[in-house]
Amino acid sequence: MKFLVLILVLGLRRLEVSWPQWLTLRSRHQTWLQSLGNRLGNGPLLYLLAVLLPAVLLALLGCALQGFWAQWLWLLMALLVLVWLMGGQSEFRHVDELLVRGRMNDPEGFAALASEEFGVTGDPTEIAYQEQLSERALAREFRVFAVIFWLMVLGLPGAFLWVMNQAWLQRVGVESSAIATLHRWMSWPVQRLLVLSMALAGDFAAVMDSMRHRWFSLANSDEAAASLLLDAARAASGLSPIDEQSSLLERMQPMEELQGLVLRCVAIWLIACALWVLLA
């Protein structure tokens, strides 16, 4: 059932579907926390009622809804919850649109889209700009892998807990709290499996070399984790450094290679999930 829900959601997110705002709004998780926070404040009670309690209720519902018709009801609920967690639009679509603007050699349109979707501002022809954009794009796509992992390991409650834990930290911003430590530990196995997938999809030896002495380190922030993943992706793709005098079209090559690498990793993960279901 988990694999069926995952495949359906990933397919639906690639379609041109007019989703309601509560499923597509980028701040939908923060809106949920804000609506409860206005009444309960930002203390432990809000975390308990907005993050932990829904995860427990999802686990109880999954156990309670048995039987043919009950399973169809659970499938519908799981689809809605997972689309709400992941969003109605695929992260890969936004990167595809950026690549199209780059191939058209449209710096103004490229910069506008990058600012709107990824919050990156500046000159698209600068190396630092491209690096920041690649890091932001990879960090957003990493969320897909995290949801896939925890959905398969702990079911819908696990996926809900990971997403809402991250939303809570973005709202509160406490890096040294127990919740932040929980988020880092929940992200750690996903990062390592994603790096291993990049190695299998690209240059295995180069990725292993780039991860030397870093396999067991725990990133102290999402930015540090994104930087680690970007280093592994560059090693897997075998890209040479960008020339300072290169055009926007030429600077699109690393992002295009990164997009292809991540899509190959998605295929590897889906195959692994299918094998998991068949052998379970």
Side-chain angles (χ1 to χ4, degrees), residues 194-205 207-208 215 232 236 261 265:
L194 180 53
V195 169
L196 183 58
S197 303
M198 290 176 178
L200 294 173
D203 189 332
F204 189 90
V207 174
M208 294 298 105
W215 281 106
L261 176 69
C265 290

Side-chain angles (χ1 to χ4, degrees), residues 99-271:
L99 292 174
V100 170
R101 300 286 178 89
R103 295 188 193 105
M104 294 171 60
N105 201 19
D106 178 16
E108 292 79 11
F110 183 92
L113 186 60
S115 176
E116 178 183 354
E117 296 296 340
F118 298 95
V120 178
T121 58
D123 184 358
T125 61
E126 292 181 354
I127 295 178
Y129 179 97
Q130 294 293 336
E131 290 181 347
Q132 185 183 15
L133 183 58
S134 297
E135 192 171 298
R136 294 277 181 91
L138 185 58
R140 185 174 296 181
E141 291 166 346
F142 168 73
R143 294 177 70 251
V144 176
F145 292 94
V147 171
I148 291 174
F149 178 84
W150 289 111
L151 178 69
M152 298 305 298
V153 172
L154 295 179
L156 196 57
F160 184 93
L161 181 61
W162 189 88
V163 172
M164 293 308 298
N165 225 25
Q166 186 182 51
W168 169 271
L169 291 174
Q170 290 173 350
R171 173 182 172 84
V172 178
V174 181
E175 292 291 339
S176 60
S177 65
I179 297 173
T181 302
L182 172 64
H183 175 69
R184 288 194 288 269
W185 277 111
M186 290 186 73
S187 301
W188 186 88
V190 188
Q191 294 161 3
R192 271 51 190 178
L193 285 175
L194 180 53
V195 169
L196 183 58
S197 303
M198 290 176 178
L200 294 173
D203 189 332
F204 189 90
V207 174
M208 294 298 105
D209 187 60
S210 72
M211 288 295 294
R212 188 174 299 170
H213 308 304
R214 301 171 73 181
W215 281 106
F216 300 103
S217 61
L218 188 64
N220 56 10
S221 67
D222 286 344
E223 290 75 15
S227 178
L228 180 145
L229 291 175
L230 188 57
D231 289 343
R234 285 172 176 161
S237 300
L239 294 175
S240 58
I242 303 174
D243 186 3
E244 289 280 358
Q245 305 300 321
S246 59
S247 64
L248 176 61
L249 183 61
E250 293 171 328
R251 291 178 187 235
M252 287 297 95
Q253 184 182 358
M255 180 170 287
E256 194 161 0
E257 290 286 344
L258 175 62
Q259 181 80 333
L261 176 69
V262 173
L263 289 175
R264 292 196 297 273
C265 290
V266 171
I268 290 173
W269 278 52
L270 292 180
I271 293 170

Side-chain angles (χ1 to χ4, degrees), residues 24-46:
T24 60
L25 194 65
R26 193 170 302 153
S27 60
R28 61 193 178 279
H29 305 136
Q30 298 298 333
T31 301
W32 161 253
L33 294 174
Q34 182 64 40
S35 62
L36 291 178
N38 291 337
R39 303 181 182 89
L40 305 172
N42 290 323
L45 182 60
L46 175 61

